[in-house]
């Protein structure tokens, strides 16, 4: 087949879609990729700090999910996959470091003992007796993680275990996230008849987890994936081009774009922009879908990448309890977590800020100052001198992640079903955040468009 296809967005979703479209349409197809940014990559971005290049957007992918691993292997990058070292994260609460709760499901403990020193005896009794109390769960219900866990296990468990885990993934507190959205395995166990939260967590954590590392990254950073996708997809990449809308033109589509190139007569369009941007782009061609997409809120965040002199805590990172007294929400001790980043002149780390409803408003200099002060507090609690910062850079993501509140997945499925033939969406807003989820939606979107283009010929 050949054809003329547009991809709006040049992050991992858009570039994966372009790659699959090229494979399906062949060498003669014309594939335009548009991005308003100056470079492709979206949330895959690197910065050099203290002479070390490190990712300052998405950092790793789940190896046990097939999407990212399959794509990396297809592109010939499997030999570049690296795994974290053996250190585990710690949790910052009550002015000190605690072991990460285990066994637990996204911070929801299997037993009170899993929480160790994070809770007191009163909170421990609430968890120990949870299975003796009746539980009101409706099959198919979609409730708040924070509210449900707080009702069953208490507020301290949410603030000191669940919030730290989910906050790093979704940039939101547990009370703002749906159980079905953020911890689908838990919802499935409850739907299947688990009589208590304790029983549901035990069912999930008791399943065989497989062997080998959970997470992986690329030795050269995610830039390797971006470059490889562009090389394999061979699209015409148009940077600095803002697309304002998609219009139907008979059986084909036109783009309203800020460019002098021809953006008319596309056989199909893949919208791989953030879900709230997709809402604006699709208002004319898919009003019902656009309305659904437009209800999604954005959670902003910022990463301060830092190079320091001196020793760092012997953890892969630090997750901060939501009732703690620090400005940042997490620390990734990158030189400890990733062996390939160790051994340089300086240790490197990432300090993360921002959650849904808590925008990062400090200027860059103040943000670096806050990161430095909080690092000093954590290092002191670990028995280490305050780190000497030798280099730092700030990467802001004002609208980085979509809000996965209760009912989000059902709403996105309903909105996506209203898309016309020849239009597809892809990205983190539809079926999960993270690189594997983005790749999955992109491949499904490309398959949908290939069927449509095939029907046109």
């Amino acid at each position: 087949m050949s054809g003329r296809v547009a991809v709006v967005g040049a992050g991992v979703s858009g570039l994966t879609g372009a790659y699959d479209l090229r494979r399906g349409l062949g060498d003669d197809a014309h594939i335009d990729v548009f991005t308003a940014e100056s470079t492709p990559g979206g949330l895959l971005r690197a910065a050099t700090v203290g002479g070390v290049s490190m990712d300052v957007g998405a950092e790793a992918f789940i190896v046990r999910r097939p999407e990212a691993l399959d794509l990396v292997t297809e592109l010939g990058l499997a030999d570049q996959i690296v795994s974290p070292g053996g250190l585990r994260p710690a949790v910052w609460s009550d002015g000190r470091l605690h072991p990460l709760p285990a066994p637990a499901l996204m911070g929801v403990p299997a037993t009170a003992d899993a929480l160790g020193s994070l809770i007191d005896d009163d909170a421990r009794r609430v968890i120990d007796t949870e299975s003796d109390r009746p539980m009101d769960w409706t099959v198919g219900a979609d409730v708040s993680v924070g509210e449900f866990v707080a009702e069953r296990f208490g507020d301290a468990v949410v603030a000191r275990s669940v919030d730290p885990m989910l906050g790093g993934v979704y940039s939101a507190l547990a009370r703002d996230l749906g159980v079905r959205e953020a911890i689908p395995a838990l919802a499935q166990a409850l739907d299947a008849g688990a009589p208590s939260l304790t029983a549901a967590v035990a069912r999930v954590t008791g399943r065989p987890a497989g062997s080998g590392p959970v997470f992986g990254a690329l030795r050269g950073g995610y830039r390797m994936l971006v470059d490889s996708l562009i090389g394999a997809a061979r699209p015409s990449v148009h940077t600095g081009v803002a697309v304002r809308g998609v219009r139907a033109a008979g059986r084909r589509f036109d783009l309203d774009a800020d460019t002098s190139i021809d953006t008319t007569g596309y056989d199909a369009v893949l919208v791989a922009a953030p879900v709230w941007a997709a809402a604006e782009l699709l208002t004319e061609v898919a009003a019902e879908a656009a309305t659904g997409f437009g209800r999604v809120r954005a959670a902003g965040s910022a990463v301060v990448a830092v190079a320091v002199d001196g020793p760092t805590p012997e953890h892969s990172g630090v997750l901060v309890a939501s009732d703690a007294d620090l400005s940042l929400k997490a620390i990734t001790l990158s030189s400890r977590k990733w062996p390939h980043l160790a051994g340089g002149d300086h240790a490197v780390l990432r300090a993360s800020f921002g959650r849904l409803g808590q925008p990062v408003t400090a200027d860059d200099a103040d943000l670096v100052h806050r990161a430095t002060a909080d690092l000093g507090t954590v290092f002191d609690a670990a028995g280490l001198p305050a780190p000497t910062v030798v280099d730092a850079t700030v990467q802001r993501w004002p609208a980085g992640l979509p809000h996965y509140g209760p009912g989000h997945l059902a709403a996105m499925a309903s909105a996506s079903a209203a898309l016309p033939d020849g239009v597809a969406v892809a990205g983190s807003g539809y079926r999960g955040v993270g690189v594997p989820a983005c790749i999955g939606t992109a491949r499904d979107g490309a398959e949908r468009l290939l069927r449509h283009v095939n029907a046109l010929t």
Side-chain angles (χ1 to χ4, degrees):
M1 292 189 295
S2 62
R4 177 173 163 80
V5 183
V7 178
V8 183
V12 67
S13 304
L15 296 176
T16 299
Y19 165 67
D20 276 6
L21 288 165
R22 173 64 68 197
R23 293 200 308 163
L25 295 174
D27 293 339
D28 293 336
H30 183 84
I31 302 173
D32 282 324
V33 174
F34 298 95
T35 176
E37 303 292 330
S38 59
T39 58
L43 295 182
L44 306 185
R45 194 167 300 180
T48 299
V49 184
V52 178
S53 178
M54 59 187 298
D55 287 310
V56 290
E59 178 201 27
F61 57 88
I62 299 174
V63 175
R64 293 176 187 172
R65 284 188 60 163
E67 299 95 337
L69 186 58
D70 286 352
L71 179 63
V72 167
T73 301
E74 288 175 28
L75 294 170
L77 299 175
D79 61 344
Q80 296 300 312
I81 296 176
V82 292
S83 302
L87 296 176
R88 288 176 54 79
V91 175
W92 177 266
S93 178
D94 196 27
R96 60 195 181 102
L97 294 168
H98 306 256
L100 184 73
L105 178 62
M106 294 301 291
V108 185
T111 65
D113 289 343
L115 293 161
S117 56
L118 280 169
I119 57 172
D120 59 22
D121 289 341
D122 289 340
R124 200 176 307 277
R125 279 190 290 273
V126 171
I127 299 168
D128 286 337
T129 60
E130 186 268 339
S131 59
D132 298 328
R133 291 184 280 120
M135 182 178 69
D136 182 17
W137 177 266
T138 302
V139 174
D142 204 352
V143 301
S144 156
V145 173
E147 291 176 5
F148 181 63
V149 176
E151 192 275 327
R152 303 303 301 176
F153 281 171
D155 291 330
V157 175
V158 174
R160 299 169 192 173
S161 187
V162 185
D163 276 343
M165 286 295 296
L166 293 181
V169 178
Y170 293 96
S171 285
L173 295 175
R175 291 182 182 275
D176 294 319
L177 299 169
V179 172
R180 208 163 295 279
E181 282 71 22
I183 318 179
L186 178 60
Q188 291 165 9
L190 291 164
D191 283 348
S196 65
L197 179 56
T198 300
V201 175
R203 287 187 186 184
V204 179
T205 57
R207 296 170 187 164
S211 59
V214 177
F215 296 101
L218 294 174
R219 186 179 303 276
Y222 268 129
R223 189 72 230 175
M224 296 182 69
L225 179 59
V226 171
D227 292 343
S228 293
L229 283 170
I230 292 173
R234 305 184 306 283
S236 298
V237 179
H238 308 283
T239 59
V241 175
V243 177
R244 292 182 287 264
V246 181
R247 295 191 298 262
R251 298 179 69 193
R252 289 175 168 78
F253 303 91
D254 298 342
L255 300 186
D256 177 12
D258 184 18
T259 180
S260 60
I261 70 170
D262 181 15
T263 58
T264 63
Y266 289 106
D267 297 314
V269 179
L270 176 64
V271 176
V275 63
W276 42 86
E280 297 180 8
L281 292 166
L282 297 171
T283 298
E284 183 174 338
V285 75
E288 183 181 345
T291 298
F293 297 153
R295 296 191 179 105
V296 180
R297 291 189 292 164
S301 62
V303 172
V304 181
V306 182
V308 301
D309 278 340
T312 60
E314 292 190 12
H315 299 283
S316 61
V318 177
L319 307 176
V320 179
S322 58
D323 62 357
D325 55 353
L326 299 182
S327 296
L328 52 77
K329 66 180 180 184
I331 303 165
T332 303
L333 295 162
S334 305
S335 294
R336 293 281 194 186
K337 181 176 181 178
W338 300 103
H340 70 286
L341 295 180
D345 293 335
H346 314 289
V348 292
L349 53 87
R350 296 168 26 137
S352 300
F353 294 83
R355 295 187 180 98
L356 180 74
Q358 301 173 11
V360 181
T361 57
D363 62 32
D364 286 3
D366 187 37
L367 209 56
V368 172
H369 175 74
R370 294 186 187 190
T372 302
D374 284 353
L375 289 171
T377 299
V378 172
F379 279 43
D380 179 66
L384 300 173
T388 301
V389 175
V390 298
D391 194 13
T393 188
V394 175
Q395 175 61 58
R396 292 176 180 269
W397 304 107
L401 290 175
H403 173 216
Y404 270 69
H408 174 82
L409 289 176
M412 293 302 95
S414 177
S416 297
L419 292 170
D421 290 341
V423 176
V425 293
S428 64
Y430 306 99
R431 297 205 309 265
V433 300
V435 169
C438 289
I439 292 170
T441 59
R443 307 203 97 161
D444 289 347
E447 183 179 353
R448 169 186 170 91
L449 297 187
L450 288 170
R451 289 196 301 267
H452 177 74
V453 175
N454 185 46
L456 291 175
T457 60

